[in-house]
Amino acid sequence: DRDVTGVQTCALPISIATAMGNAGGEAADSVGELIAALGLPWRLSDVGVSEEMFAEIAERAVRHPVVRANIRAIDKPADVIEILKLAA
């Protein structure tokens, strides 16, 4: 099936993993494999972001409209730093 723009559509929703050729797998694993296959950076440290930069990043982030509109409340720099540490 194709929509009005000619883009192929699927009658039933499918998982990200299935769409990426990993039927029954986890989406996170499929995306991780894609990132690795493309040779893209995986962690913030891979692109030169160090923990010493987190405070400034966090201060700027809590004022950004997209961060302020996040479904999970991110009200203070410590919230952003917690996320940055997970991606370090």
Side-chain angles (χ1 to χ4, degrees), residues 46-62:
D46 296 340
V47 293
V49 177
S50 66
E51 285 200 38
E52 291 78 30
M53 302 167 135
F54 287 2
E56 182 178 350
I57 293 168
E59 287 293 334
R60 291 177 182 219
V62 293

Side-chain angles (χ1 to χ4, degrees), residues 44 53-70 72-84:
L44 290 173
M53 302 167 135
F54 287 2
E56 182 178 350
I57 293 168
E59 287 293 334
R60 291 177 182 219
V62 293
R63 295 190 306 266
H64 195 281
V66 172
V67 173
R68 295 173 61 87
N70 194 58
R72 175 184 165 205
I74 300 176
D75 300 317
K76 53 192 180 296
D79 297 332
V80 176
I81 291 173
E82 178 183 341
I83 296 166
L84 292 170

Side-chain angles (χ1 to χ4, degrees), residues 29-45:
D29 294 335
S30 297
V31 172
E33 290 169 11
L34 175 63
I35 290 169
L38 294 173
L40 297 174
W42 185 253
R43 319 257 340 133
L44 290 173
S45 58

